[in-house]
Amino acid sequence: MRCDRLWRRARVATLAPGRPGLGLIEQGVVAATDGRIVFVGPESDWPRASRADEEIDLEGRLVTPGLIDCHTHLVYAGDRAEEHERRLAGESYEAIAREGGGILSTVSATRAASEAELVRASLPRLDALLAEGVTTVEIKSGYGLALEHERKQLRAARELAHLRAFTLKSTFLGAHAVPPELAGRAEEYVHQVCTEMIPAIATEGLADAADAFCERIGFSPGETRAVLEAASAHGLAVKLHADQLSNQHGAALAASLRAQSADHLEYIDEAGAAALARADTTAVLLPGAFYFTREKRVPPIDLLRRQGVRVALATDCNPGTSPLASLLAAMNLAAVLFGMSVEECLIGVTRAAAHALALASSAGTLEPGKHCDLAIWNAERPAELVHRIGPNPLHARIWRGH
Ligand SMILES: [Zn+2]
């Protein structure tokens, strides 16, 4: 066998399904050609006559698949730190929102920003993720709430993917909130999203999927269904912010639409979990939002386990409810606040997250044929990635073999 690059003397957590736990291989090697994995296994199985153009000795370091952040809103302008400060000083969210705070302050800042300004503002957040071994990022729109501004956000996401080496999946989230100029006229806005925005975004190829915020303070299940059915009809995959603050039967709705993922799920019930498992829809848990908004209701992990639902984790990186740009911290929060195991956390940011983005055939595990996306850690055991907050144990990040 011949390969471009060979990483030797590694502890490889392949995350390959069918192997116990994380599929750990001691004294492992990973070989890649043209950005794809051609071999992964114990060094003793590496064919003796093989030649590698470049060999890298990892001296026993842990190697995992490149991490996948499958739910972010990281392209936006403005800042909500001052608003946070006011809330800490005792002002209510309602009072702040009445003065144009909350999500609408991000909407007006994002509308006022040029595409270049959005890119500039978002780059540090993206860089923070990449610095911790992330190789795939999903980015949603949803702070434009008008076609030209939603487009601008999605184009800014695309520009980020030109500036940095990572795999982008972009999601149109026009149904995030009703724009201020249509306050109280949700029906009219939903009509616009379905008949103008989705067709345009889909035709221009600006998004891989569409998403909606199904909640008492967002869109009703009926409005959500209309948006996601329109998205499906235009060839977009669908995802859903579901059952975060109340049980709207969003998980069941997501399953009935064969969504890639249903995200948040603090209030998911037994029927919702069973529906997700049957539809093979991935549950995406977002511990940053849970932590930052001091939610009281923990997503029912035992129920999800019992029903055999695939569970992913993501940062939900956004300016208001989850100003978090660290997937390692998200794993720690999920372990501490949700009681998830080390294995569940790591699967959540690799194999399961790949499913949440329909990338399971090319990413999320280390197996021949997949993209060679690696995170190489100054760590011996996977538990070290979940245990700490702060020290960044990344040694090197490899995207498509480089
Ligand atoms: Zn979100």
Side-chain angles (χ1 to χ4, degrees):
M1 195 184 291
R2 227 210 96 262
C3 66
D4 296 342
R5 298 183 96 188
L6 178 72
W7 290 267
R8 297 184 48 220
R9 288 216 294 156
R11 305 185 79 223
V12 186
T14 63
L15 276 294
R19 298 200 199 206
L22 300 172
L24 212 62
I25 299 170
E26 302 287 348
Q27 290 292 333
V29 302
V30 179
T33 292
D34 296 332
R36 291 199 182 259
I37 296 172
V38 292
F39 178 89
V40 55
E43 183 135 16
S44 52
D45 290 357
W46 174 241
R48 274 169 171 269
S50 304
R51 285 220 340 268
D53 293 348
E54 186 186 356
E55 275 194 27
I56 301 125
D57 183 348
L58 292 181
E59 300 169 340
R61 288 189 177 88
L62 175 68
V63 177
T64 66
L67 306 188
I68 298 172
D69 195 349
C70 65
H71 180 141
T72 87
H73 309 248
L74 73 76
V75 171
Y76 62 84
D79 189 290
R80 305 252 289 272
E82 192 214 326
E83 192 179 295
H84 187 207
E85 187 175 15
R86 286 167 63 187
R87 287 180 72 181
L88 291 172
E91 277 188 68
S92 73
Y93 183 81
E94 288 69 28
I96 293 168
R98 263 199 307 278
E99 293 166 31
I103 185 173
L104 293 182
S105 75
T106 302
V107 171
S108 52
T110 301
R111 285 179 173 185
S114 67
E115 186 184 316
E117 285 165 342
L118 276 181
V119 169
R120 211 163 31 246
S122 307
L123 209 46
R125 296 186 279 272
L126 174 66
D127 283 340
L129 291 176
L130 302 187
E132 289 185 347
V134 171
T135 50
T136 300
V137 184
E138 186 257 16
I139 300 177
K140 301 176 197 294
S141 65
Y143 295 121
L145 308 183
L147 182 55
E148 59 167 313
H149 298 296
E150 289 286 308
R151 251 190 203 129
K152 180 178 66 184
Q153 255 194 295
L154 293 167
R155 287 205 189 104
R158 187 183 278 182
E159 180 57 20
L160 291 174
H162 290 141
L163 293 172
R164 294 290 186 270
F166 71 103
T167 302
L168 168 72
K169 281 286 208 172
S170 57
T171 302
F172 168 66
L173 179 57
H176 194 192
V178 177
E181 61 276 12
L182 290 176
R185 289 146 67 195
E187 208 177 308
E188 203 176 316
Y189 180 58
V190 167
H191 184 74
Q192 237 177 59
V193 169
C194 294
T195 59
E196 294 168 34
M197 295 164 84
I198 286 173
I201 299 285
T203 305
E204 292 161 27
L206 279 172
D208 303 295
D211 192 345
F213 183 45
C214 180
E215 193 55 68
R216 280 197 299 243
I217 58 165
F219 294 89
S220 71
E223 291 162 346
T224 300
R225 177 179 283 281
V227 167
L228 297 185
E229 281 179 348
S232 274
H234 284 86
L236 297 176
V238 302
K239 310 173 78 65
L240 185 53
H241 283 67
D243 301 335
Q244 179 188 8
L245 306 171
S246 61
N247 183 359
Q248 300 283 312
H249 306 289
L253 174 61
S256 76
L257 295 164
R258 305 207 70 79
Q260 288 176 345
S261 70
D263 303 35
H264 284 293
L265 301 176
E266 279 77 346
Y267 283 81
I268 189 175
D269 59 16
E270 184 97 34
L276 290 187
R278 269 198 309 277
D280 202 29
T281 294
T282 301
V284 179
L285 303 185
L286 304 165
F290 176 92
Y291 161 76
F292 199 79
T293 60
R294 301 191 195 190
E295 281 181 59
K296 296 286 179 280
R297 173 109 160 197
V298 174
I301 300 289
D302 279 334
L303 170 61
L304 297 171
R305 285 180 185 132
R306 185 154 37 79
Q307 289 288 350
V309 179
R310 186 189 305 110
V311 176
L313 289 175
T315 61
D316 197 13
C317 177
N318 77 60
T321 59
S322 188
L324 172 67
S326 167
L327 203 48
L328 292 179
M331 280 200 281
N332 179 276
L333 293 173
V336 173
L337 300 175
F338 297 170
M340 289 174 67
S341 69
V342 166
E343 273 180 22
E344 287 171 328
C345 287
L346 265 166
I347 290 169
V349 298
T350 54
R351 188 171 81 211
H355 276 281
L357 300 177
L359 287 175
S361 62
S362 61
T365 68
L366 302 181
E367 296 174 276
K370 292 205 177 183
H371 290 307
C372 184
D373 295 348
L374 311 177
I376 302 170
W377 305 96
N378 291 314
E380 289 179 16
R381 274 173 293 278
E384 294 171 51
L385 306 182
V386 177
H387 178 59
R388 298 175 290 212
I389 294 183
N392 182 358
L394 190 78
H395 171 72
R397 191 184 76 97
I398 308 294
W399 182 70
R400 309 250 168 124
H402 293 281

